[in-house]
Amino acid sequence: MTHPDKPYFSRQAKLSKLDLVRYYLAVAPGALAGIEDRPVVLKRFVNGAEGEVFYQKRAPGGRPTWLRTVTLSFPSGRTAEEIVVDDAAGLAWMVNLGCIELHPHPVRCGDLDHPDELRVDLDPGPGVGWADVRSVALEVKQLLDEMELRGWPKTSGSRGMHVNVRIQPRWTFSEVRRAALALSRAVERRAPALASSKWWKEERHGVFLDYNQNAKDRTTCSAYSVRPLPDARVSTPLDWREVPDCEPADFTVFTVPKRFAEIGDPHAGMNAASGSLEKLLELAAKDEAAGLGDAPWPPHFRKMEGEAPRVAPSRAKSTPKTPRTKMPLVVVANSPDKAAAVAGLERWKSKHAHIAGFLAVDDVLVDSMRGRSSTWTRIRVNLRHVPEALRPPQETPDPDDDPTREWRTRRAAK
């Protein structure tokens, strides 16, 4: 290891690089169960959890000779040789590079075109409580039971929850995403006040079921990943009996090793529970027959056949059949540092305090933006509930640091 005393967490939890290595070694059997024999994207916090982060798909040139790699192809047509980690030494090597989280693809190295995992990502909107997340998770479980699939819940380590489903590697990424979209829409129908399958944030409410996490080249943090929150929370596997009463703040670097030593890994039997997507795909076919077409894909994917217009409703062109409803959105902050963006939002609220009483909780849209190798936070405010005469105009965001702006400008010039 290099610089073992380097601070990785310093705002609330006090953890060095070596502390994080020791954590991952303590839970290595559980952490490895989520990533072994899978290509892994290196999400690197080289200056610790409070610093900037970047994604590294390609395996570093100076890696140890005992680490495996595998070549992945992406929707763009590009390829990358990605790391595969199968042992605790590999975990320690990743942490030494600044990888606080673990981000595996949902495929095994022997078949890179057919996922063996469907991922249900429950993402609560601003102001949505944890109780609603748990309620939606239980709706997901009930639906999966009816589809003869077994879901394995875990806290996301942030504000949401993940439910992973081991599946037979018989279906393509597109088919798995189609099944995930059908699941999301079915849960929304069952709990319309709590759940949303809508891609555009201006249309969402409650807990969003992010079906696009199943598109090719998308990764989520795996079991026992440490998240870059001040208290060093952990994405922790749960038994379904724990879900109704669990609290995400209870699972941290300081508590999870003891829990793991005492009860083991609640997801230890996942690989023996592979199921079929046939019933979910039948549900998708019923939706399509009823007129529900494909939903929007992530922005870096090519336009798909049958996909709805890939433009936010507030920016869509008006037609006689579909008159445009323009949402009055203003961008108030852009920054690679989420805390700096949130501070900018607070400054904007103070400056425009006269409209604060008109804003609903879900009028503040916090977007985690992801470029090819960088991330940043964009914060927008929807002024739909503010009387038109009182609406502040679009101003220069504060801060206004979009790390992809220069690249997009050069691309537009070409």
Side-chain angles (χ1 to χ4, degrees):
M1 286 186 60
T2 57
H3 310 293
D5 295 329
K6 184 175 183 177
Y8 265 23
F9 287 81
S10 57
R11 288 180 181 169
Q12 181 178 333
K14 308 297 182 184
L15 293 165
S16 67
K17 180 192 288 189
L18 182 57
D19 291 329
L20 209 61
V21 167
R22 286 172 172 158
Y23 159 77
Y24 273 113
L25 296 181
V27 299
L32 288 169
I35 67 171
E36 61 187 349
D37 198 35
R38 301 181 185 278
V40 175
V41 174
L42 303 177
K43 186 178 180 180
R44 299 181 61 182
F45 298 79
V46 293
N47 293 312
E50 292 89 18
E52 293 186 21
V53 60
F54 67 94
Y55 289 86
Q56 181 174 339
K57 294 180 179 180
R58 289 170 173 77
R63 62 186 180 274
T65 56
W66 42 266
L67 279 173
R68 287 198 291 150
T69 62
V70 66
T71 301
L72 262 69
S73 61
F74 304 115
S76 64
R78 295 176 294 116
T79 61
E81 189 179 12
E82 294 197 9
I83 286 291
V84 181
V85 171
D86 297 314
D87 53 30
L91 285 174
W93 174 82
M94 283 200 297
V95 176
N96 192 49
L97 288 182
C99 298
I100 293 175
E101 302 177 353
L102 309 176
H103 274 256
H105 290 270
V107 291
R108 303 284 184 173
C109 292
D111 188 347
L112 300 175
D113 295 319
H114 298 90
D116 71 335
E117 189 167 84
L118 181 146
R119 296 172 174 177
V120 184
D121 183 2
L122 306 182
D123 182 11
V128 176
W130 177 246
D132 288 349
V133 177
R134 293 184 299 199
S135 295
V136 174
L138 294 173
E139 290 286 352
V140 169
K141 179 186 185 302
Q142 183 176 343
L143 178 63
L144 289 173
D145 288 345
E146 295 171 13
M147 298 291 107
E148 299 179 7
L149 291 166
R150 182 170 178 180
W152 301 80
K154 67 182 179 72
T155 62
S156 72
S158 183
R159 300 179 57 243
M161 188 173 287
H162 299 156
V163 181
N164 292 338
V165 182
R166 186 67 78 240
I167 58 174
Q168 300 156 7
R170 295 165 44 196
W171 294 275
T172 65
F173 277 93
S174 294
E175 291 169 325
V176 175
R177 177 191 171 277
R178 179 170 172 249
L181 175 58
L183 182 148
S184 301
R185 286 171 167 169
V187 172
E188 181 179 30
R189 288 192 291 267
R190 292 174 178 226
L194 297 178
S196 175
S197 65
K198 303 296 188 295
W199 175 250
W200 302 110
K201 285 195 173 184
E202 61 196 61
E203 293 187 308
R204 292 182 203 166
H205 65 277
V207 179
F208 171 51
L209 292 95
D210 190 353
Y211 58 88
N212 269 332
Q213 291 293 12
N214 295 276
K216 191 173 185 179
D217 195 25
R218 303 282 283 198
T219 62
T220 58
C221 71
S222 60
Y224 298 100
S225 284
V226 182
R227 304 305 301 276
L229 271 66
D231 58 357
R233 292 187 190 183
V234 170
S235 181
T236 305
L238 303 170
D239 185 278
W240 278 111
R241 292 168 293 185
E242 297 179 283
V243 170
D245 301 310
C246 71
E247 294 292 338
D250 292 340
F251 307 112
T252 70
V253 166
F254 305 101
T255 63
V256 169
K258 183 175 183 292
R259 168 185 166 89
F260 188 84
E262 291 176 350
I263 72 170
D265 182 9
H267 290 188
M270 185 185 294
N271 287 335
S274 296
S276 171
L277 288 182
E278 289 174 358
K279 288 185 177 295
L280 271 179
L281 291 173
E282 289 173 4
L283 187 61
K286 290 180 181 178
D287 285 345
E288 291 156 7
L292 280 176
D294 197 1
W297 286 66
H300 60 285
F301 281 73
R302 62 177 175 81
K303 189 74 165 60
M304 301 293 179
E305 183 179 352
E307 180 185 356
R310 196 180 298 179
V311 59
S314 62
R315 301 180 63 186
K317 292 182 178 179
S318 177
T319 67
K321 291 185 178 180
T322 58
R324 177 179 178 180
T325 302
K326 181 176 176 60
M327 289 289 184
L329 300 170
V330 292
V331 180
V332 301
N334 288 310
S335 179
D337 182 350
K338 184 175 181 180
V342 171
L345 170 65
E346 295 306 314
R347 288 192 295 272
W348 185 90
K349 286 181 177 179
S350 296
K351 181 178 179 181
H352 302 289
H354 62 290
I355 68 167
F358 296 102
L359 298 176
V361 169
D362 55 1
D363 285 339
V364 176
L365 310 178
V366 181
D367 305 308
S368 180
M369 310 297 287
R370 179 172 171 178
R372 288 187 174 181
S373 62
S374 59
T375 63
W376 78 101
T377 297
R378 178 183 68 182
I379 298 182
R380 297 175 295 166
V381 175
N382 193 335
L383 303 175
R384 57 187 170 176
H385 295 123
V386 180
E388 191 167 353
L390 299 179
R391 292 175 184 172
Q394 175 66 64
E395 303 163 331
T396 301
D398 173 26
D400 188 22
D401 186 6
D402 173 352
T404 68
R405 182 180 292 118
E406 182 180 349
W407 173 81
R408 286 188 288 108
T409 302
R410 291 199 305 267
R411 183 181 181 185
K414 291 180 182 179

